[in-house]
Amino acid sequence: MRETILTGVRANEEPTLGNFLGAYVPMVELAKKYAGEKDVNMFVPDLHSFTTPIEHEELYGQIIRGVKYYMAAGLPVDSEGVSVYRQSFVSAHSEMAWILSCFTGFGEMQRMTQFKDKSEDLRDSVSVGLFSYPVLMAGDILLYSAKYVPVGEDQFQHLEITRDIAMRMNRKFGEIFTVPVKTAEQVKFMNLDEGLRVRSLTEPEKKMSKSAENENSKILLSDKPEVAAKKIMSATTDSVGKIKFDMFNQPGVSNLLQIVSLLKGVPLQDVISRWVGETRYGDLKNETAEVVRRFLVEFQEKVAAISDDDVLKVLEQGEERARVKAGAKLLEVQKVLGLRR
Ligand code: TRP
């Protein structure tokens, strides 16, 4: 059986340039690299979208748009073994989540730091869904026997609990689940440069976050190119007065250098050697603004050229395949539980 790489991205917030460079591009690279050799599952965890309150009128459009972003970024959707699907269109996800929840400790779930953080912000509107979110996620992974699950650091704890649930059930029922590799190995597999994290434009010591309230801190993939260029021009830098790549002491200018390198596809070292020692931050901002503006013009043209029907065709194919694979795993589990013969 072929190994599976699987990941999912929530669709209910407009992605930033940081998401694009830190998640979309690396995932597309992995998909291109392994297409034909491993199965690549890129799915939309749409049932995860409302574990916290959202605008429901927006959701359908956001899901379709999210898939367009992946396609515009170059995801090889026509390659054999690459599947794109929506979680809610494969009912085994919901069924598996219930089963797994009965083999997950209440105490171990209470330790999830993302739940603790999010529920502090939400106070009274904390749902049971937010609490059991990692169990649904474990099902997303285990249904497809995924070995590699490229995710950001904020999801590592959820990956660990997935491993714990899988190992526990394997001990009890025999080897029914493939246990995804440890997070340290996942990081190696992703081959991501640790420093590669686009920073906030207004508080460059933090990462660029799609949920940040300050619109000037982030570049959205849907930003008007001229607006995005202005945001770069007003980005926070420092008072050192000389350009140097130093994420600790000069995160603002370092961030700009990194953005130029990533968007132009030029090695960071080359960008640095061109700018190091320069005193005119305005020139660096001009160049970065122009690179960002041009990227957005081209990217948005690509997105506009993909129709909703194109997306639906890709999704429906993926969902058909996903139903077969997930359905088979669910049946195996139902059997060992005593629900089926
Ligand atoms: N929780 C992930 C996030 O917020 C999304 C997700 C849901 C996911 N199910 C998954 C990621 C399974 C990888 C595998 O980013």
Side-chain angles (χ1 to χ4, degrees):
M1 214 173 61
R2 300 211 297 197
E3 292 181 339
T4 299
I5 309 171
L6 177 146
T7 197
V9 176
R10 283 174 68 149
N12 52 299
E13 271 173 301
E14 184 57 25
T16 66
L17 186 64
N19 299 126
F20 182 79
L21 293 171
Y24 285 61
V25 171
M27 189 56 205
V28 166
E29 298 288 309
L30 280 182
K32 283 185 180 157
K33 182 169 167 193
Y34 290 107
E37 180 194 325
K38 300 187 196 302
D39 283 336
V40 178
N41 290 24
M42 249 320 305
F43 83 107
V44 184
D46 55 355
L47 293 170
H48 277 112
S49 295
F50 38 87
T51 49
T52 55
I54 61 159
E55 301 292 340
H56 289 272
E57 318 77 70
E58 309 279 325
L59 183 58
Y60 191 86
Q62 286 166 329
I63 291 166
I64 301 296
R65 195 162 347 117
V67 177
K68 286 185 186 178
Y69 286 162
Y70 265 104
M71 291 168 68
L75 188 72
V77 289
D78 294 323
S79 294
E80 195 240 323
V82 175
S83 308
V84 187
Y85 52 93
R86 291 161 290 186
Q87 187 185 38
S88 75
F89 280 72
V90 185
S91 56
H93 288 254
S94 306
E95 296 178 60
M96 189 63 116
W98 173 257
I99 292 172
L100 297 182
S101 75
C102 298
F103 297 89
T104 306
F106 191 76
E108 68 185 324
M109 289 289 286
Q110 276 179 313
R111 288 195 294 274
M112 295 291 111
T113 55
Q114 194 174 62
F115 174 74
K116 285 194 261 184
D117 293 347
K118 287 204 178 177
S119 52
E120 237 168 68
D121 300 342
L122 287 166
R123 286 152 201 263
D124 296 339
S125 43
V126 180
S127 66
V128 175
L130 181 65
F131 183 69
S132 51
Y133 173 130
V135 181
L136 180 59
M137 178 164 166
D140 298 337
I141 297 167
L142 300 178
L143 275 172
Y144 301 89
S145 305
K147 183 167 173 189
Y148 300 106
V149 186
V151 286
E153 254 171 72
D154 62 327
Q155 299 299 317
F156 284 0
Q157 207 181 16
H158 299 159
L159 211 52
E160 287 302 331
I161 203 171
T162 300
R163 286 171 42 84
D164 291 341
I165 296 169
M167 290 187 286
R168 182 176 314 135
M169 290 186 74
N170 282 352
R171 273 197 301 276
K172 192 170 167 72
F173 297 110
E175 296 294 307
I176 40 173
F177 290 127
T178 298
V179 182
V181 301
K182 287 192 178 137
T183 45
E185 261 180 84
Q186 300 280 358
V187 171
K188 254 192 247 155
F189 177 77
M190 288 187 266
N191 197 14
L192 270 190
D193 186 344
E194 250 319 293
L196 197 154
R197 189 155 302 139
V198 177
R199 306 298 185 99
S200 155
L201 297 175
T202 49
E203 295 171 275
E205 51 295 328
K206 298 186 187 161
K207 70 171 193 174
M208 185 180 284
S209 159
K210 55 185 170 184
S211 50
E213 273 177 28
N214 186 347
E215 290 297 329
N216 286 326
S217 72
K218 57 190 174 183
I219 294 197
L220 302 178
L221 293 181
S222 58
D223 272 350
K224 290 214 169 60
E226 293 71 34
V227 173
K230 284 209 187 91
K231 290 182 184 176
I232 297 284
M233 292 311 291
S234 59
T236 301
T237 49
D238 57 68
S239 54
V240 175
K242 253 192 190 172
I243 294 173
K244 188 178 169 202
F245 188 81
D246 179 347
M247 270 300 181
F248 192 72
N249 294 306
Q250 297 182 252
V253 287
S254 304
N255 191 32
L256 299 181
L257 294 167
Q258 198 165 56
I259 290 173
V260 170
S261 153
L262 292 167
L263 287 182
K264 287 180 92 174
V266 172
L268 181 59
Q269 263 321 312
D270 295 3
V271 180
I272 294 172
S273 26
R274 242 192 64 227
W275 288 98
V276 70
E278 292 276 349
T279 53
R280 288 188 304 264
Y281 287 6
D283 291 356
L284 174 60
K285 283 187 175 177
N286 268 322
E287 160 150 351
T288 314
E290 180 52 22
V291 169
V292 168
R293 196 191 61 76
R294 224 178 309 142
F295 160 74
L296 283 178
V297 168
E298 283 169 21
F299 184 72
Q300 290 171 3
E301 267 170 20
K302 280 188 209 153
V303 172
I306 302 167
S307 71
D308 288 13
D309 274 353
D310 296 337
V311 172
L312 286 173
K313 230 178 272 161
V314 168
L315 286 172
E316 281 158 16
Q317 268 175 20
E319 281 149 14
E320 219 166 283
R321 259 181 303 203
R323 276 186 210 113
V324 173
K325 190 160 179 193
K329 183 54 74 179
L330 179 63
L331 181 61
E332 261 182 72
V333 174
Q334 287 168 329
K335 282 183 177 163
V336 296
L337 291 174
L339 293 169
R340 300 279 190 279
R341 272 274 148 79

